[in-house]
Amino acid sequence: MERIKNKKLQNLFKGIIKENPLFVSVLGTCPALATTTSIEGAIGMGVLFSIVLICSNILISLLRKLISEEITTPAYIVVIAAFVTIVKLFSNAFLFELYSTLGVFISLIVVNCIVLGRAEAYASKNNVLDSLLDAIGMGIGYTLALLSISCIREILGSGMISFGKILTFIPRFDIPILKYVNSVGEVVYDYSIPLFVQPSGAFIVFGAILAIISAITSFKNSRKKIKEKIMLKEAK
Amino acid sequence: MKIDKKKSLHYLKVSLVLGGIASISALLIAVSYMICQPIIEENEYKRLVQSLANIYGDDKTYEELGSIDDSSYSYLNAYYSASKDDELIGYVFSSEGSNQYGSISMLTGINPNGEVDKIYLLTNDQTYPDKIQNDYVDPFNKGEISLDDIYIGATFGAELIKNMANQASQYYMENVLKQ
Amino acid sequence: MDIFVSFLLAIISSMLIDNVVLSRFYGICPFLGVSKKVNSAFGMGLAVVFVIVLSTVICWPIYTYILVPANVAFLDTITYILVIACLVQVVGLFIKKYSPSLYKSLGVYLPLITTNCAVLGVVQSNSDLQLDFLMSLANALGTSVGFLIVIVIFSCIRSRFESSNGPKAFKGLPIALMTAALMAIAFMGLKGMI
């Protein structure tokens, strides 16, 4: 029982760090660079993406015995597109500001490589519970990745973290970090770098994060190699 | 003969499965559409009334007078009257137009003489929305520039707004004033 | 004459000024994935031009004359993606039968174009902005040719990086992203021209 529970937890957590869909297998980058100009937009995009991923994984895993080899592609596309349409309708009705900020990128979840990739690689071969855990893990990982990029971009680029502009059920307030506009409207101090809310800033932040991750990975690998060498020497 | 039957059975099964998936998806979409569509339309109407208040203030009562389907007035959609305590303050025209940069939908306030009073942009998909708002629409509403001063660096958007406002004024002069 | 001038301006504006990859972020996955060699980048770009223009020509009438009058405009996403998937399969079969050499050079990228954000993004934004047929065509042409230009330039630069020395952490994708950032700044200078 303990081993099974551990395996399922490992399934859940692998999507967050070890196989993070955005940073490790570089997939689904189009929304990552375009919707991360504000923290709220990134959270909204991540949540909507996770909903589509979870629902489509469940349905495809339920139907995996019936779908034969030839019709995998159109079947997956129809299922994923149906869930994206449902998510669009609901966000148009209840979260209108989020819908008009994200715009086309909600529809682009259909062709997101992560959703299609997970459906083909995992949900078509495993049972419902495993696919559900996998989807939850991938969704949380993607949302955290989007959140990290958007934190850097918003703090450095516009100087303050604003809440309540896009997700309107949160009360509207700003946390001033690099830029402070007092209640009259005049700018008290402004040290923000507007480059980071432009498209080029997105590329810079994403490239820097990938470089940091690759440096950490190679450092870990070199330490592992040194440890192995020491153990081999001691064994002699 | 035997192979043919097996193959056709296989194709039948495949098409049944595809049809089943399509019908499940269609059912889910139809259910969510029935839930969401009334809410979407109600929100749109609330936003329209709220934005009509931007022209003449929210202490006036607004009434829809009719929709405009005339093809020679291609931008105009509908027009409303604004009145306070039974006294007619002016008219509001809602219009929508697009050029190669995207579409603009806006409200035009026309005073009883037929002159363009105020402009309020509802949606602006152009490439320089802030420039159009700050350098053209806001000074016009304050009375600092006239409608023809469109050379602000986002010329195409400003020209589209000018054409839509003039068409509203023209419609008013020819159709409403004469009644 | 007026229409022709606005058509040309629309193409230039979506090709250079509001570039699809560097400013609107549509085609990043193949942009980063396929651009290691100039030949493959060129083939991918040509295939994308073909697919985007053809799918706009097919999808715009479907939206305007079938979906909107029937009041089911919210089904546009499903329709577009199914049309694009079918189109890519049909075009692949066509090219394979009639020109095997062309299929060899760009046929392997055709299935990849189905999941290219640029194709669905252009078609969806045409119907979101409610452009008429000429403007949608201009948008499609400008977007796809802009994608071709940018991916060829990027692959030329990137093929030099493969054989040069740099910090080990930046090898591969990070240095490519920094290059893309510099290109984005360069293209940003074109804004405000029209």
Side-chain angles (χ1 to χ4, degrees), chain A residues 118-179:
Chain A
R118 280 289 126 194
E120 240 177 287
Y122 206 82
S124 59
K125 298 185 186 130
N126 298 33
N127 61 8
V128 181
L129 188 60
D130 281 337
S131 310
L132 176 65
L133 288 175
D134 178 72
I136 295 180
M138 288 282 158
I140 295 181
Y142 192 68
T143 312
L144 286 178
L146 285 186
L147 203 61
S148 59
I149 296 184
S150 67
C151 268
I152 301 179
R153 276 185 83 186
E154 189 168 11
I155 293 181
L156 286 178
S158 65
M160 49 188 174
I161 308 180
S162 31
F163 288 104
K165 249 195 194 167
I166 300 179
L167 303 175
T168 45
F169 49 85
I170 306 178
R172 172 105 182 74
F173 66 97
D174 295 329
I175 304 180
I177 299 180
L178 285 182
K179 173 175 172 183

Side-chain angles (χ1 to χ4, degrees), chain A residues 62-96:
Chain A
L62 277 174
L63 297 173
R64 74 183 182 281
K65 298 259 170 65
L66 294 173
I67 302 178
S68 55
E69 282 293 317
E70 301 97 28
I71 59 165
T72 52
T73 316
Y76 295 159
I77 289 182
V78 167
V79 169
I80 298 175
F83 281 117
V84 167
T85 310
I86 294 176
V87 161
K88 253 176 88 168
L89 282 173
F90 274 100
S91 63
N92 196 354
F94 296 111
L95 296 167
F96 185 72

Side-chain angles (χ1 to χ4, degrees), chain A residues 30 85 88 116 199-200 204 214, chain C residues 22 26 74 77 115 117 124 169 181:
Chain A
C30 297
T85 310
K88 253 176 88 168
L116 277 170
S200 28
I204 294 178
S214 130
Chain C
L22 299 175
Y26 278 169
F74 60 94
T77 311
T115 58
C117 302
Q124 182 80 39

Side-chain angles (χ1 to χ4, degrees), chain A residues 51-67:
Chain A
I51 294 176
V52 172
L53 186 61
I54 290 174
C55 294
S56 73
N57 255 18
I58 292 179
L59 191 59
I60 291 178
S61 167
L62 277 174
L63 297 173
R64 74 183 182 281
K65 298 259 170 65
L66 294 173
I67 302 178

Side-chain angles (χ1 to χ4, degrees), chain B residues 15 19 24 29 31 42 59 64 66 71 75 79-80 87 94 107 113 117 129 132 137 141 149 154 164 173 177-178:
Chain B
S15 47
I24 296 178
I29 295 179
V31 165
E42 194 187 307
D59 52 342
E64 172 156 3
S71 58
Y75 292 132
Y79 64 115
Y80 311 83
E87 189 193 322
S94 80
L107 300 172
N113 294 335
D117 232 352
I132 296 178
V137 176
N141 284 342
D149 291 330
M164 289 203 274
M173 299 291 246
L177 199 56
K178 288 191 180 154

